[in-house]
Amino acid sequence: MPKVFIDGEAGTTGLGIRDRLRDRRELTVRSIAPEYRKDHAARRDLMAEVDLVVLCLPDPAAIEAVELAHSLGADAPKLLDASTAHRVHPAWVYGFAELEPGQPARIAGAARVANPGCYPTGAIALLRPLVDAGFLTEEHPISINAVSGYSGGGKAMIEAHEREGGPPFELYGLSLTHKHVPETETYGALGRRPIFVPSVGHFAQGMLVSIPLHLDLLAGRPEGADLRAVLAERYRGCPLVAVADGTEAGKLRPDALNGTDRLELFVFANDHSRQAVLVARLDNLGKGASGAAVQNIGLMLGLDAPGSVFGARIGG
């Protein structure tokens, strides 16, 4: 039976992974005593005993943990890194299984996988198929707007919102150097750095990622139905990704998928004005974090059954 160690299991993502794996009998989750969580020797010893280590750590600590695992040589376990430290590293496989055909197999065969970010999951899912289909040229200027629940901001933000109420809505990342931009640019196959404007609302979970487009500036001058058809074809047969009609009275709630690992994609278009807005909806702690990690654990350990996704929460 495969054994997994979640290094950093006390954090939001680590707790979410443990919760999803609690009733799974296909593997064993090993834990380290709280007093040894920062003990390098104790962590290294546990790493040597397991098949896969999930890193739910800040970037500098994740880099140190990778070095610790590498010091085991041939006894080193597989690594799944939930930090941003290795998401565009050429030696790591990007862990968005729906990125393109063949990506699940790449994840399954990899010793080092970088779990995707929550915002990039939505943006890449919308953009990459349109780039591959030729509607979006690599140099097309892209703007991405997104709002997340405060649970995506880490311990300090969670405590501030739950203790003090927090601001009702807040833009951030206005230096235009958000850490999710490199992976969005890389795996969205964009030739021009996108403008990314994230925000946080005073709600715990849920996420909307939206991308406005002028249809006349796209190659082939498509209509909204053409964009929707490309997305629908790309994700046909993907159990966690659905392309919706885009007819929800012109508005969307960010929390409709909370508690699931699903991702919904919408194309809202006005063909008369030749404008469209692409929208991705997901639970930032589901498909945007812990759910994606469990999906990758299933692939890396060979636990997926045909036509299923290991550990996924598909229902609403």
Side-chain angles (χ1 to χ4, degrees):
M1 182 179 295
K3 296 181 287 294
V4 175
F5 166 41
I6 305 170
D7 196 358
E9 68 175 20
T12 304
T13 299
L15 289 171
I17 295 170
R18 276 206 68 97
D19 179 50
R20 283 166 169 78
L21 296 180
R22 181 177 295 116
D23 299 323
R24 309 305 302 189
R25 298 183 179 181
E26 300 92 331
L27 55 73
T28 299
V29 179
R30 298 286 304 276
S31 292
I32 194 166
E35 61 268 26
Y36 292 112
R37 284 176 181 164
K38 295 186 179 181
D39 185 308
H40 280 32
R43 290 164 60 217
R44 185 177 184 275
D45 288 345
L46 186 50
M47 287 180 177
E49 298 174 4
V50 301
D51 301 283
L52 172 67
V53 176
V54 186
L55 305 178
C56 298
L57 303 165
D59 286 11
I63 292 170
E64 289 182 357
V66 171
E67 294 174 353
L68 197 63
H70 284 174
S71 72
L72 292 167
D75 294 326
K78 292 186 174 185
L79 296 175
L80 173 62
D81 185 8
S83 80
T84 63
H86 301 99
R87 287 185 185 157
V88 295
H89 194 292
W92 289 65
V93 172
Y94 192 56
F96 180 37
E98 295 83 5
L99 177 67
E100 60 182 349
Q103 195 67 11
R106 295 185 191 99
I107 295 169
R112 307 287 182 265
V113 174
N115 212 52
C118 50
Y119 289 128
T121 292
I124 293 167
L126 292 167
L127 291 169
R128 181 62 178 268
L130 302 184
V131 172
D132 290 347
F135 286 135
L136 280 173
T137 64
E138 290 186 357
E139 293 298 321
H140 191 95
I142 294 293
S143 295
I144 303 167
N145 302 290
V147 60
S148 174
Y150 59 77
S151 59
K155 183 177 180 180
M157 181 177 288
I158 293 171
E159 289 181 350
H161 274 265
E162 294 184 348
R163 182 181 64 248
E164 304 165 7
F169 180 84
E170 187 175 38
L171 291 176
Y172 68 101
L174 295 176
S175 64
L176 302 182
T177 57
H178 193 281
K179 62 182 181 179
H180 284 168
V181 171
E183 69 181 286
T184 303
E185 182 178 4
T186 298
Y187 298 106
L190 305 177
R192 182 191 296 265
R193 182 182 176 88
I195 295 175
F196 176 47
V197 185
S199 61
V200 62
H202 185 53
F203 55 94
Q205 286 175 242
M207 174 172 286
L208 294 173
V209 180
S210 60
I211 302 171
L213 295 172
H214 291 277
L215 296 175
D216 284 345
L217 298 182
L218 303 185
R221 296 168 58 87
E223 295 187 348
D226 299 316
L227 305 184
R228 191 177 298 115
V230 167
L231 295 177
E233 180 59 30
R234 181 61 159 261
Y235 300 111
R236 189 182 309 279
C238 295
L240 295 179
V241 183
V243 180
D245 290 338
T247 57
E248 293 196 9
K251 55 186 178 182
L252 288 176
R253 291 179 59 113
D255 58 351
L257 296 183
N258 283 7
T260 81
D261 297 336
R262 292 164 49 209
L263 171 65
E264 287 183 338
L265 306 178
F266 299 83
V267 177
F268 294 92
N270 185 319
D271 290 323
H272 177 72
S273 65
R274 304 294 295 151
Q275 295 174 324
V277 178
L278 313 178
V279 184
R281 175 163 61 184
L282 63 156
D283 181 350
N284 57 289
L285 298 183
K287 184 61 171 165
S290 301
V294 172
Q295 184 180 4
N296 286 322
I297 289 170
L299 289 167
M300 295 176 75
L301 295 179
L303 301 175
D304 270 340
S308 69
V309 178
F310 173 77
R313 296 180 177 181
I314 298 178

